[in-house]
């Protein structure tokens, strides 16, 4: 865990943590997502694309309550998104992080 900086800055990572988790949904919904992913892959000859089955989830360290849940995209995209979010958690305050990531369209990582 990152310590507070001498100037009083407290990174969001002191209070929040990020992880990639399976999308929520019933067994039927998950089955439909899988079928849709396979069908999209067969139609486009792209077996790695399709509906995401993963979410990026940011939770409070003290309570475990979700602060943010967004689609994480493909497995490769989710790895990049998680790295970006963790970097932001280490370099932004909680207020800055929430303001940036809770804006419409934030599910696709903010422009660098």
């Amino acid at each position: 865990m990152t310590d507070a900086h001498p100037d009083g800055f407290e990174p969001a990572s002191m209070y929040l943590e990020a992880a990639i988790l399976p999308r929520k949904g019933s067994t039927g919904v998950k089955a439909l997502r899988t079928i849709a992913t396979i069908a999209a892959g067969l139609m486009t000859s792209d077996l790695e694309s399709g509906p995401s089955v993963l979410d990026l989830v940011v939770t409070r360290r003290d309570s475990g309550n979700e602060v943010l849940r967004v689609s994480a995209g493909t497995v490769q995209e989710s790895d990049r998104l998680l790295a970006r979010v963790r970097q932001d958690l280490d370099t932004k305050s909680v207020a800055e992080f929430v303001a940036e990531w809770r804006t419409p369209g934030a599910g696709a990582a903010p422009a660098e």
Side-chain angles (χ1 to χ4, degrees):
M1 190 179 305
T2 307
D3 294 329
H5 294 197
D7 63 1
F9 172 75
E10 293 183 328
S13 60
M14 290 181 67
Y15 305 97
L16 305 173
E17 59 188 346
I20 299 295
L21 300 174
R23 295 200 83 179
K24 289 183 176 180
S26 67
T27 304
V29 169
K30 289 179 181 180
L32 288 174
R33 283 188 194 130
T34 301
I35 292 167
T37 300
I38 293 169
L42 291 173
M43 291 187 323
T44 63
S45 297
D46 180 4
L47 298 178
E48 291 190 24
S49 294
S52 176
V53 295
L54 302 171
D55 281 344
L56 169 86
V57 181
V58 178
T59 56
R60 290 178 50 137
R61 288 185 180 276
D62 61 351
S63 66
N65 290 339
E66 285 186 15
V67 173
L68 175 72
R69 181 180 280 266
V70 295
S71 174
T74 65
V75 173
Q76 293 82 9
E77 292 168 338
S78 68
D79 289 341
R80 289 189 297 271
L81 182 61
L82 181 60
R84 174 67 191 269
V85 167
R86 287 183 173 163
Q87 178 184 9
D88 282 357
L89 287 171
D90 286 338
T91 59
K92 298 179 188 302
S93 69
V94 171
E96 292 169 327
F97 178 84
V98 170
E100 181 174 324
W101 284 91
R102 278 202 167 168
T103 57
E112 294 188 42

